[in-house]
C-alpha cells in the first residue's frame, strides 16, 4: 500500500530564505507526482506536476525534483516571501489501474516578514 | 465555468439526516475525484470517475456514502444517516484525462451536530 510522508510537518523561515520541503513515498511504481499548496479554508492549488520519466519541473521561484528509485521528491522555494505561507502537499498517482492520488499530510510553511 | 465549483460551501446538519454535496467540474474534464479532509488530517480518497468507466469506489468509508456523475459532468456525493464523524471538508477535483493536473474546488465544509 502506497504511503506518502512529508517532512517537516511545520517550518518557519524569515523572508528571503531559500527552503526545501521533502516528500517520500514507499512504492516507486508511480505514474506522476504533484505538489499543491493549500491556503486556510481554501481548496488546493496545483503547483507542479512531474511525470515519472522526468527529474524536475520549474515554475518561477519553485523547483520540484523527483527521484523515483529512492521514493523521494523535493520542492525548492527560492527567495521566500510572506505570500508563500501555506500548507504544501505532495501527492503521488499510483501507476496501477486506480489512478487515484495518494496525499501526504503536508508541511505548514510560515514565512516571517 | 473557469474552475471547479462546489455547493454548498457550508452545510450544517443534524445527526441522522441525509445530505447531498454537488460538484461541477471544469468543462471537458473527463476525470472527477472526491476527497475528504478532516481537521488536522490529510486528504482521504473517496471515489473516482473517469469517462464512462465504472467508478473506483474503493475509498468510500461505508455504505452510507454514494456518488453519481450524471452525463459525464456534474457529480453528487450523498451521505445518508449522517454521523458526527462525517464532519469534514469534502473536496472535489477534476482533470483532463487520467494523468493530468488536478484542479480542486473550494470544498464543502460539512458539520454534523
Amino acid at each position: 500500500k502506497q504511503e506518502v510522508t512529508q517532512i517537516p510537518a511545520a517550518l518557519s523561515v524569515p523572508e528571503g530564505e531559500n527552503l526545501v520541503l521533502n516528500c517520500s513515498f514507499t512504492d516507486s511504481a508511480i505514474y506522476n507526482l504533484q505538489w499543491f499548496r493549500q491556503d486556510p479554508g481554501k481548496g488546493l492549488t496545483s503547483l507542479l506536476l512531474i511525470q515519472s520519466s522526468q527529474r524536475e519541473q520549474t515554475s518561477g521561484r519553485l523547483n520540484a525534483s523527483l527521484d523515483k528509485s529512492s521514493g523521494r521528491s523535493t520542492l525548492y522555494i527560492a527567495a521566500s516571501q510572506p505570500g508563500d505561507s501555506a500548507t504544501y502537499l505532495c501527492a503521488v498517482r499510483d501507476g496501477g489501474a486506480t489512478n487515484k492520488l495518494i496525499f501526504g499530510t503536508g508541511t505548514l510553511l510560515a514565512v516571517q516578514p | 465555468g473557469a474552475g471547479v465549483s462546489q455547493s454548498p460551501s457550508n452545510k450544517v446538519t443534524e445527526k441522522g439526516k441525509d445530505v447531498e454535496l454537488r460538484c461541477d467540474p471544469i468543462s471537458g474534464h473527463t476525470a472527477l475525484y472526491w476527497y475528504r479532509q478532516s481537521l488536522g488530517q490529510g486528504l482521504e480518497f473517496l471515489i473516482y470517475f473517469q469517462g464512462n468507466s465504472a467508478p473506483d469506489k474503493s475509498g468510500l468509508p461505508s455504505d452510507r456514502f454514494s456518488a453519481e456523475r450524471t452525463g459525464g459532468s456534474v457529480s453528487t456525493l450523498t451521505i445518508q444517516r449522517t454521523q458526527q464523524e462525517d464532519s469534514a471538508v469534502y473536496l472535489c477535483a477534476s482533470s483532463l484525462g487520467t494523468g493530468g493536473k488536478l484542479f480542486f474546488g473550494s470544498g464543502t465544509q460539512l458539520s454534523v451536530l
Side-chain angles (χ1 to χ4, degrees):
Chain A
K1 177 186 172 185
Q2 179 74 268
E3 293 183 1
V4 182
T5 304
Q6 291 187 245
I7 295 173
L11 179 64
S12 181
V13 300
E15 181 177 5
E17 271 204 7
N18 303 325
L19 59 100
V20 175
L21 307 180
N22 297 290
C23 172
S24 60
F25 45 95
T26 55
D27 186 348
S28 62
I30 65 169
Y31 188 81
N32 59 36
L33 182 146
Q34 269 187 262
W35 282 93
F36 297 85
R37 70 173 279 168
Q38 185 174 29
D39 294 281
K42 302 284 181 64
L44 279 69
T45 300
S46 180
L47 298 173
L48 290 164
L49 170 69
I50 310 178
Q51 301 295 345
S52 63
S53 59
Q54 297 175 322
R55 298 284 293 183
E56 65 178 334
Q57 282 286 326
T58 298
S59 176
R61 294 182 294 107
L62 306 180
N63 176 276
S65 69
L66 174 63
D67 184 344
K68 202 173 76 160
S69 61
S70 67
R72 293 181 181 177
S73 176
T74 61
L75 179 66
Y76 175 82
I77 303 176
S80 58
Q81 303 171 357
D84 295 331
S85 299
T87 296
Y88 289 80
L89 296 149
C90 72
V92 300
R93 187 185 293 271
D94 270 349
T98 61
N99 283 298
K100 58 189 173 189
L101 258 66
I102 310 298
F103 281 83
T105 50
T107 293
L108 177 60
L109 173 66
V111 181
Q112 308 298 332
Chain B
V4 178
S5 178
Q6 291 188 245
S7 60
S9 55
N10 282 282
K11 177 70 177 179
V12 180
T13 191
E14 294 178 350
K15 178 181 173 181
K17 300 284 190 183
D18 297 352
V19 295
E20 284 189 352
L21 312 180
R22 177 186 168 103
C23 173
D24 276 287
I26 293 173
S27 178
H29 280 194
T30 57
L32 187 147
Y33 301 76
W34 283 97
Y35 283 85
R36 177 169 73 174
Q37 187 173 34
S38 302
L39 190 63
Q41 303 295 314
L43 269 76
E44 176 188 7
F45 168 79
L46 296 177
I47 189 169
Y48 161 67
F49 296 90
Q50 171 54 43
N52 295 321
S53 302
D56 176 358
K57 303 179 181 181
S58 61
L60 295 179
S62 77
D63 59 7
R64 296 186 295 105
F65 287 72
S66 63
E68 291 183 339
R69 188 177 185 193
T70 55
S73 182
V74 172
S75 177
T76 301
L77 176 68
T78 301
I79 309 173
Q80 296 178 307
R81 304 181 303 282
T82 52
Q83 304 294 314
Q84 289 183 332
E85 62 263 28
D86 300 334
S87 297
V89 176
Y90 289 81
L91 292 162
C92 175
S94 69
S95 69
L96 189 62
T98 57
K101 275 189 180 182
L102 252 64
F103 294 85
F104 278 82
S106 298
T108 294
Q109 172 72 63
L110 175 65
S111 300
V112 182
L113 305 179

